[in-house]
Amino acid sequence: MFRTALRNVLAHKARLLMTVLAVMLGVAFVSGTLVFTNTISDALQNSSAKGFDHVDVAVTPEFQKAEGDKVGEEPELTQALVDDSARVPGAASAIGVVSGFTAVADKDGDLIGDGWSTKGGNYWGEKDPRYPLTDGRAPKGEGEILIDSKTAERTGYGVGDTVRMSVDGPVISPKVVGVFTTDDGGVAAGGSLTLFDTATAQKVFGKAGTYDEIDVEAKAGVTQAALKAELDKALPKGLVETTTGEKLADDQAEAIAASMSGMKQGLLVFAGIALFVGTFIIANTFTMLVAQRTKELALMRAVGASRRQVTRSVLIEAFVVGVVAAVTGLLAGIGIGAGMRALMSSMGEVVPDGPLVVSTGTIVAALAVGVLVTMLAAWLPGRRAAKIPPVAAMSSVHAKATAKSLVLRNTLGALVSAAGIAVVLAATTMGGTDGQAPMGLGAVLLIIGVFILTPLLSRPLIAAAAPVLRVFGVSGKLARQNSVRNPRRTAATASALMIGLTLITGMTVMAGSLQKSIDKMASAAIEADYVVSMANGNYLSPDVGEKLGGTDGVTAISPLRNSAARIDGDTEYLTGVNGSTIAGLTDLKVEQGAFEVGGAKVVVDGDTAKENGWKAGSDFTVAYEDGEKQRLTVAGVYEGNDMLSGIMLDNSVLTPHMTDPVDMQVMVKMSDGASSAAKDSLQQALDTNPAIKIQDKKDISNEVAKMFTMMLNMLYGLLAMAVIVAVLGVINTLAMSVFERSQEIGMLRAIGLDRKGIKRMVRLESLVISLFGGVLGIGLGVFFGWAAGELMGSTIATYELVLPWGRMGVFLLLAAAVGVLAALWPARRAARLNMLQAIKAE
């Protein structure tokens, strides 16, 4: 039986090629994802581990929890604590660390690192062991800085150059006096690190005389654990905590692994989709191969082969195919992993240096996935073949499914589909995250149910195309009959395309609807012409608001400040605004009272009011972050949203109680409205600062849309893998179908149907099957998009369903293109059959 199985594999090389390709693509995606993420993760971990070479123990402030009217806060690390740490037994030195956001512009005026990892810090003394200098000297005073060597390489800056930069808003132009090397993971991944002398760093980051961390290095022969124990004895308990460098490195490695896991899981989901779609092709292929060898298998049964041996022979074939596909897929995946890293570099994304990581786990996963998926998909056809009685197989009585099996299949499909719809509809009534798991379960059930029902659905849906097919005469009629001749095969072929288009359509509906809701939210909440904020979401210096307020053309302005406070024993965040202008800068719906902010009068969003049992006219006591208390009155309750919510009070009341007054953003109203000239005047007032965003309502909406568009484009690219596999499935099915119908095609040629007619018949059959899968996929995608929107609508008040008719039309055309392209080779093969040899074929 083993030799027979191997001979069958070698005898059907061409037929099994599509199956090998389908499995290979899925395996390549899995192994490529693992190679890419492991390579990046390993490089980042190695880089970050080096960053802790000079840290044996780190001393950090221990956050003091909020109690009673006292707001939670962090104790300050003073110079005295640095000196105490340096004096403990076993300590060789102690360095006070100061850090914060520092936006540096390149020579074109653009922000380096896009704001996410543009950090600043302090250079300790004349020779900081953390940052070896490759050029220049240590910085002295506010006008001097050091830059890292990678930033110097990327931007062309060197010693003696003047750099435009910002810490919290205003532009400063210090001079580069040195270049240093660092193993900082953020720098390795495309960010920048700028160093000031310690006093300047403390001043610009708003930490005068204090530090964020104290790094202590041990003397030779002293372990990190021993040094930690000595520091715990010497430093004040309850105010600081100590962590060894090894623990910091381990925590950093875990954080990097966690950050990469999201990307890895996302990519593996799409690899799974490609494999799931490929499963249909494998099952289809082996079903047809087994059907073609029915008499052969029957003879084997007749001469003594058992059912198990017949099933085993099919599984051996699947094992050989799976191994070949898995090995080639693994090799292709290694190439994909290397290619993805190169692609990121070519797109301007800087990835850390390091070797390509092909772990044992990646190899095992690739081989296991390829072999198991292939064998599982082939098991059912093999089992079905083994159950056919030898005499029935010889007479081909088994060819058609019995009425009983079809009734059972349709009943099961209807029940599973109904259960899926019921669960999805139930999930839409749940709130937010509570409905996500049930909706996912319902979606899976519905897709499985529709797949089971696809043979039943194929007849009426394909029959609907009959009027169009009649235009093509005999070829069209034959194409319609051929496409419903074997409903199960048609269903399996169409289902592969259906799954890909379901996901694409669903995501497109959700993205379009979310974009519409964000547009409505921005226009409904904001009346200001511009919103000014930092590029990375950090706080703005109050100087920014003052500069904007004095700009020509500005008629109203309101900085928005944020401060923690205690109300009735709970922590609440207060938003400071300009009470005299905020009403004209926003367009928030007032549910109760009046939108009036000033003195002791505040406005509160509906959710906060409901949680605290407040209404217009209610009074409450607030304890500010400095411990002072005040009685406030709710003048009005407004309908909040994701852009504006919370307790708003006048900045003149809030600011005196803030330790470090900074702004989240600044709203600006112009005399002539939003225009390019107005925006230019604001930019000039802020010295064309690359770290500051000046956005109108459309810009805010587009920024969010950009995230959705990027996500959608990634999804389209990833799901293209599933569509490619679906194309292979259609080609495979048509090729098998042409082979099975060789005698029939020969007869058609003999009675007068020319080669063009044969080609047209096969192409139309492929087109009908692909459009059938496309219609099902788009229909399911719209349903899932609507359901997901209903779930999101519970948290986004402005949510509105938007059906992208244009894109859905493109998706349907895509399905048609799949059908046309997939039929090229099978149609050509059918037309070139020798009619006499085909008629004699069995």
Side-chain angles (χ1 to χ4, degrees):
M1 295 301 293
F2 180 74
R3 287 197 300 271
T4 302
L6 289 180
R7 279 201 301 269
N8 280 320
V9 171
L10 296 174
H12 300 124
K13 292 189 289 289
R15 298 180 211 170
L16 290 169
L17 178 61
M18 297 298 177
T19 301
V20 170
L21 284 173
V23 180
M24 185 199 77
L25 284 171
V27 172
F29 208 161
V30 171
S31 53
T33 295
L34 294 174
V35 168
F36 172 68
T37 52
N38 288 344
T39 297
I40 299 299
S41 179
D42 186 68
L44 285 173
Q45 286 177 17
N46 289 339
S47 178
S48 66
K50 290 178 183 176
F52 295 109
D53 286 349
H54 296 283
V55 182
D56 288 311
V57 179
V59 180
T60 53
E62 185 174 341
F63 187 77
Q64 307 297 298
K65 293 181 180 179
E67 293 181 2
D69 293 331
K70 184 182 177 184
V71 176
E73 60 182 3
E74 282 188 348
E76 295 179 337
L77 299 181
T78 61
Q79 182 62 44
L81 281 173
V82 176
D83 296 338
D84 290 344
S85 299
R87 284 194 291 265
V88 301
S93 63
I95 294 174
V97 179
V98 186
S99 60
F101 169 68
T102 304
V104 180
D106 61 21
K107 291 186 176 181
D108 295 325
D110 297 323
L111 182 65
I112 298 170
D114 294 328
W116 69 272
S117 186
T118 51
K119 298 183 296 184
N122 67 310
Y123 189 82
W124 188 258
E126 292 295 323
K127 191 174 182 180
D128 193 325
R130 300 171 299 167
Y131 307 115
L133 290 174
T134 59
D135 192 15
R137 58 172 175 79
K140 297 175 182 177
E142 296 182 19
E144 297 182 351
I145 59 166
L146 303 180
I147 60 172
D148 67 88
S149 57
K150 288 192 178 294
T151 296
E153 182 182 331
R154 293 171 199 146
T155 61
Y157 286 135
V159 174
D161 289 335
T162 299
V163 176
R164 294 181 74 254
M165 60 184 293
S166 172
V167 174
D168 57 1
V171 173
I172 55 177
S173 300
K175 183 179 179 181
V176 177
V177 297
V179 178
F180 63 92
T181 59
T182 177
D183 293 310
D184 186 283
V187 172
S192 66
L193 179 60
T194 307
L195 302 179
F196 304 87
D197 66 44
T198 298
T200 302
Q202 289 174 326
K203 179 180 178 181
V204 297
F205 296 132
K207 299 164 185 174
T210 64
Y211 302 92
D212 297 303
E213 183 179 305
I214 301 170
D215 292 342
V216 187
E217 191 169 2
K219 290 180 179 177
V222 178
T223 65
Q224 292 186 355
L227 178 58
K228 181 180 183 301
E230 291 294 339
L231 286 166
D232 288 339
K233 289 180 194 174
L235 301 181
K237 292 179 175 60
L239 294 179
V240 298
E241 52 187 351
T242 57
T243 312
T244 63
E246 290 175 357
K247 179 70 165 55
L248 289 172
D250 291 343
D251 291 346
Q252 185 75 11
E254 285 181 18
I256 292 169
S259 67
M260 295 299 295
S261 69
M263 179 190 293
K264 183 184 293 186
Q265 288 171 8
L267 292 171
L268 288 177
V269 164
F270 291 100
I273 292 168
L275 283 168
F276 183 57
V277 172
T279 303
F280 294 127
I281 300 173
I282 301 164
N284 239 3
T285 303
F286 277 94
T287 297
M288 289 184 278
L289 286 174
V290 168
Q292 290 168 14
R293 290 163 43 209
T294 300
K295 290 185 179 181
E296 176 192 327
L297 295 174
L299 283 171
M300 291 172 65
R301 291 286 314 281
V303 296
S306 66
R307 287 185 178 184
R308 284 187 179 180
Q309 285 178 311
V310 170
T311 304
R312 201 178 300 137
S313 71
V314 175
L315 290 178
I316 289 170
E317 290 181 50
F319 176 77
V320 173
V321 170
V323 169
V324 171
V327 171
T328 54
L330 174 61
L331 295 175
I334 294 171
I336 288 172
M340 287 174 73
R341 185 166 71 167
L343 179 64
M344 285 185 67
S345 297
S346 67
M347 292 172 64
E349 299 290 337
V350 182
V351 293
D353 297 328
L356 203 64
V357 178
V358 184
S359 66
T360 305
T362 300
I363 297 171
V364 171
L367 294 174
V369 165
V371 174
L372 287 177
V373 166
T374 309
M375 291 186 70
L376 285 173
W379 174 75
L380 190 59
R383 184 171 175 272
R384 193 183 299 134
K387 291 175 70 177
I388 301 170
V391 176
M394 288 179 188
S395 58
S396 298
V397 174
H398 69 287
K400 293 183 180 179
T402 64
K404 180 180 178 183
S405 69
L406 289 174
V407 169
L408 180 63
R409 179 180 180 130
N410 294 338
T411 303
L412 178 63
L415 290 173
V416 175
S417 298
I421 292 171
V423 174
V424 168
L425 291 177
T428 60
T429 63
M430 301 178 185
T433 55
D434 293 338
Q436 289 178 3
M439 185 163 289
L441 174 63
V444 171
L445 287 174
L446 182 53
I447 288 175
I448 292 172
V450 170
F451 169 64
I452 297 171
L453 281 175
T454 308
L456 177 66
L457 297 171
S458 65
R459 290 188 179 277
L461 288 177
I462 291 175
V468 178
L469 293 174
R470 284 198 197 103
V471 175
F472 299 95
V474 175
S475 296
K477 184 178 180 180
L478 290 170
R480 184 181 66 81
Q481 292 174 346
N482 289 334
S483 58
V484 295
R485 176 185 291 183
N486 191 332
R488 289 187 176 184
R489 186 189 301 168
T490 297
T493 306
S495 295
L497 194 57
M498 177 192 78
I499 292 169
L501 286 179
T502 296
L503 293 166
I504 291 174
T505 306
M507 290 303 302
T508 303
V509 170
M510 286 170 56
S513 301
L514 281 170
Q515 177 59 50
K516 181 72 173 178
S517 69
I518 291 159
D519 286 342
K520 288 176 67 177
M521 188 187 298
S523 60
I526 300 171
E527 274 294 309
D529 293 314
Y530 292 102
V531 175
V532 180
S533 60
M534 289 294 282
N536 70 331
N538 268 29
Y539 291 119
L540 286 164
S541 165
D543 294 348
V544 172
E546 292 173 11
K547 284 187 177 182
L548 292 172
T551 304
D552 290 340
V554 174
T555 57
I557 190 168
S558 176
L560 272 65
R561 291 178 184 166
N562 205 21
S563 176
R566 298 287 285 178
I567 301 173
D568 295 332
D570 295 321
T571 299
E572 294 278 359
Y573 284 89
L574 308 176
T575 301
V577 297
N578 187 331
S580 62
T581 61
I582 191 64
L585 294 168
T586 58
D587 187 18
L588 298 166
K589 181 182 177 183
V590 179
E591 297 175 343
Q592 296 177 31
F595 199 90
E596 187 178 349
V597 180
K601 292 182 178 179
V602 301
V603 291
V604 184
D605 73 278
D607 290 340
T608 303
K610 186 177 179 181
E611 287 174 11
N612 291 279
W614 298 335
K615 58 184 179 181
S618 297
D619 292 327
F620 62 92
T621 300
V622 60
Y624 297 108
E625 64 176 76
D626 63 354
E628 293 283 332
K629 293 184 180 181
Q630 184 176 0
R631 194 77 177 163
L632 300 176
T633 301
V634 178
V637 177
Y638 66 92
E639 185 180 297
N641 55 49
D642 289 345
M643 292 188 173
L644 291 170
S645 61
I647 304 169
M648 293 188 192
L649 72 165
D650 195 272
N651 273 325
S652 63
V653 177
L654 178 64
T655 303
H657 302 288
M658 295 178 67
T659 306
D660 183 23
V662 287
D663 299 329
M664 297 181 292
Q665 57 188 36
V666 180
M667 290 184 169
V668 181
K669 189 81 171 174
M670 306 296 291
S671 56
D672 297 325
S675 66
S676 57
K679 190 171 185 176
D680 287 343
S681 68
L682 295 179
Q683 287 176 333
Q684 289 171 12
L686 298 175
D687 300 324
T688 317
N689 192 327
I692 294 180
K693 295 186 296 187
I694 301 174
Q695 298 175 298
D696 59 19
K697 287 184 279 190
K698 190 64 179 173
D699 292 333
I700 294 170
S701 179
N702 288 342
E703 184 176 50
V704 181
K706 187 178 177 182
M707 291 188 291
F708 287 120
T709 302
M710 184 171 64
M711 182 178 68
L712 262 186
N713 289 338
M714 287 179 63
L715 288 174
Y716 288 158
L718 295 171
L719 289 171
M721 182 72 73
V723 174
I724 291 170
V725 175
V727 172
L728 294 174
V730 178
I731 295 172
N732 211 14
T733 299
L734 290 173
M736 292 288 190
S737 180
V738 167
F739 179 83
E740 283 182 350
R741 292 171 8 223
S742 295
Q743 190 176 56
E744 177 187 316
I745 292 169
M747 289 295 294
L748 289 170
R749 291 287 316 283
I751 61 176
L753 190 63
D754 60 10
R755 287 187 174 183
K756 285 186 178 179
I758 295 293
K759 283 184 178 180
R760 191 180 301 119
M761 176 187 72
V762 176
R763 287 171 183 163
L764 288 172
E765 180 183 348
S766 174
L767 183 63
V768 167
I769 292 172
S770 296
L771 285 175
F772 169 53
V775 169
L776 283 180
I778 292 171
L780 282 174
V782 169
F783 175 71
F784 290 140
W786 165 82
E790 289 294 303
L791 193 62
M792 289 187 290
S794 62
T795 55
I796 304 176
T798 55
Y799 186 85
E800 176 185 333
L801 179 67
V802 175
L803 294 180
W805 295 106
R807 290 204 177 190
M808 289 193 292
V810 170
F811 297 155
L812 201 58
L813 287 175
L814 173 65
V818 166
V820 172
L821 291 172
L824 291 177
W825 177 64
R828 185 168 177 271
R829 183 182 175 192
R832 296 182 67 182
L833 284 175
N834 184 295
M835 69 178 76
L836 294 178
Q837 290 179 353
I839 291 171
K840 290 190 296 181
E842 293 187 6

